[in-house]
Amino acid sequence: MKKIFLIVIVFLSITTQAQKSSEYNQDKGIALQGFDPVAYFESAKAIEGTKEFSVTHNGVIYLFSSEKNKSLFLNNPVQYEPQFGGYCAYGMSNGYKAPIQPEAFTIVNNKLYLNYSLKVKEMWLKEQSTRIEKANKNWEEVKKS
């Protein structure tokens, strides 16, 4: 009986972690294609991080370009995490997960939004507030898939 209970616990743990990790746009467990989430806020540009300055948060690895940025993230990860798990905000406003181009980003109300491409970012900017509202509504359901 103890073995069965243990197997069920392990299975539920693995299933929960798999569901949680699907909420994040990642490549080989690395968020933001290896770009530094803090740099978007501090430098207003996309800067690649390095494995030397890495952190695992919610089962996802984030890379940073400096120890300072790593520390800022650790002090307040919610501040720096991309919206919609790092998926394209424009795509999310249409109800689906889409990959991103790390350089196609905006910061709105101190939140990081990423887009599929610079061209999509242009469309996103034209309807930004409406798109954010739609994406926020869609995210709760879409993140589960």
Side-chain angles (χ1 to χ4, degrees):
M1 188 65 159
K2 284 184 182 181
K3 266 187 171 178
I4 293 172
F5 179 73
L6 197 59
I7 290 170
V8 168
I9 295 297
V10 168
F11 175 76
L12 289 174
S13 174
I14 291 169
T15 303
T16 301
Q17 186 59 36
Q19 287 174 336
K20 187 81 172 155
S21 68
S22 74
E23 292 178 20
Y24 296 93
N25 182 4
Q26 51 187 320
D27 181 27
K28 298 177 185 151
I30 298 176
L32 296 170
Q33 298 177 10
F35 281 74
D36 179 341
V38 176
Y40 288 105
F41 293 87
E42 298 296 312
S43 302
K45 60 183 173 180
I47 299 174
E48 287 189 69
T50 67
K51 290 184 179 181
E52 178 184 358
F53 306 115
S54 65
V55 168
T56 301
H57 177 69
N58 286 336
V60 179
I61 299 167
Y62 290 91
L63 303 182
F64 302 91
S65 57
S66 69
E67 184 65 41
K68 177 188 174 201
N69 285 6
K70 177 182 169 181
S71 294
L72 286 168
F73 183 88
L74 286 171
N75 287 330
N76 192 2
V78 173
Q79 163 65 43
Y80 299 106
E81 285 183 302
Q83 299 302 294
F84 318 120
Y87 290 101
C88 173
Y90 187 89
M92 191 55 56
S93 71
N94 288 319
Y96 60 86
K97 294 176 184 174
I100 55 130
Q101 178 182 343
E103 297 81 8
F105 74 95
T106 49
I107 306 249
V108 181
N109 295 326
N110 223 21
K111 293 181 181 184
L112 173 60
Y113 296 92
L114 297 151
N115 289 117
Y116 175 78
S117 67
L118 294 173
K119 186 135 182 104
V120 170
K121 177 185 171 184
E122 288 176 29
M123 295 186 306
W124 160 260
L125 291 172
K126 291 177 185 173
E127 305 173 315
Q128 190 171 273
S129 60
T130 302
R131 291 284 175 182
I132 290 171
E133 189 177 315
K134 287 179 180 180
N136 283 329
K137 288 179 185 173
N138 290 335
W139 177 236
E140 287 308 311
E141 192 59 37
V142 174
K143 73 179 175 182
K144 299 173 190 172
S145 62

